[in-house]
Amino acid sequence: MILPIVAYGDPVLKKKAKDITKDYSNFDSLLENMFETMYNAFGVGLAAPQIGLPVRLFLVDTTPFAEDEDLSQVEQKALNGFKRVFINAKIVKEEGDEWAFNEGCLSIPDVREDVFRKPKITIEYLDENFDEQKESFDGLIARVIQHEYDHIEGILFTDKLSSLKKRLIKGRLTNISKGKITVDYRMRFPDQKKRR
Ligand SMILES: [Zn+2]
């Protein structure tokens, strides 16, 4: 089932999300619905707050990035089929010199900006079977995980922009909250006026 994606301005996107346990209700169908929702919107990641749930759960599938011809074959191969579920994740290390990448977000349609992040991360998490994992990632995979991880910390990529950039996009963000945009996937807008 495709779930509506919560738009910029909804308080759930600003909340630090809570851990979940194995008995979280309807977990398997939640995962299935989140993957379906992400693929339907052509996303490479989706975090639970984006569907209105303030819990520490996000998914990643970087396969669409593998088609980027600017990347090396090694990078393309790493991205192709990289699909993971991250539960109760904690980034324990971030290393290297920050690099810029033009990020977007399913909750903030049509806004793309360069965001600086460190290139290498180490993350502890539970996988979809609630088994403990600890892995290191770099490049675009790390980038997508960092973006989704920020969601469960209540942080959006627009929070990381310079104050000048923030001012420049303020009007567009307000329009997104009000639903004054065209978007080809289901969304829920916090400040949309009810039409009758
Ligand atoms: Zn996002």
Side-chain angles (χ1 to χ4, degrees):
M1 185 174 69
I2 293 167
L3 308 165
I5 293 175
V6 166
Y8 180 92
D10 192 303
V12 75
L13 296 175
K14 289 293 200 182
K15 264 192 202 146
K16 194 175 155 97
K18 296 266 194 293
D19 281 350
I20 56 169
T21 54
K22 210 171 179 170
D23 54 12
Y24 192 80
S25 67
N26 299 315
F27 185 72
D28 292 342
S29 56
L30 172 63
L31 268 194
E32 200 177 303
N33 292 341
M34 283 181 69
F35 271 112
E36 195 181 344
T37 302
M38 177 178 81
Y39 292 134
N40 175 257
F42 299 100
V44 291
L46 184 72
Q50 292 183 278
I51 51 138
L53 297 176
V55 297
R56 297 182 78 82
L57 163 68
F58 61 88
L59 5 135
V60 165
D61 186 343
T62 59
T63 304
F65 279 158
E67 283 154 36
D68 186 341
E69 285 167 4
D70 292 337
L71 298 171
S72 72
Q73 281 198 342
V74 174
E75 284 172 299
Q76 287 182 347
K77 217 176 148 198
L79 292 161
N80 190 28
F82 180 84
K83 181 177 170 180
R84 286 279 200 296
V85 173
F86 294 87
I87 300 163
N88 301 348
K90 181 92 197 136
I91 290 182
V92 291
K93 211 191 306 179
E94 282 185 293
E95 300 162 84
D97 295 331
E98 291 192 339
W99 65 296
F101 183 75
N102 201 245
E103 292 188 24
C105 181
L106 295 177
S107 294
I108 316 173
D110 297 333
V111 175
R112 300 197 68 89
E113 294 292 345
D114 281 353
V115 178
F116 285 86
R117 298 186 193 271
K118 290 183 175 172
K120 193 176 171 206
I121 61 162
T122 303
I123 187 167
E124 293 175 350
Y125 66 99
L126 305 176
D127 62 22
E128 64 272 36
N129 301 311
F130 285 79
D131 290 328
E132 283 181 27
Q133 306 288 344
K134 182 176 183 177
E135 284 186 283
S136 294
F137 299 104
D138 57 16
L140 274 176
I141 290 178
R143 170 69 59 160
V144 175
I145 293 171
Q146 286 163 317
H147 177 112
E148 298 310 323
Y149 182 80
D150 271 354
H151 274 301
I152 62 168
E153 292 286 302
I155 299 165
L156 299 171
F157 82 86
T158 47
D159 296 331
K160 302 180 101 76
L161 304 175
S162 69
S163 44
L164 172 66
K165 267 276 151 61
K166 279 182 191 149
R167 274 204 301 279
L168 289 172
I169 62 170
K170 197 166 182 246
R172 292 169 67 198
L173 294 178
T174 305
N175 282 342
I176 291 170
S177 305
K178 290 178 178 167
K180 290 184 184 169
I181 44 157
T182 14
V183 61
D184 51 14
Y185 47 86
R186 261 181 98 191
M187 287 195 86
R188 195 178 86 199
F189 302 100
D191 301 328
Q192 192 162 39
K193 291 217 172 71
K194 302 264 184 302
R195 270 177 239 145
R196 275 172 199 272

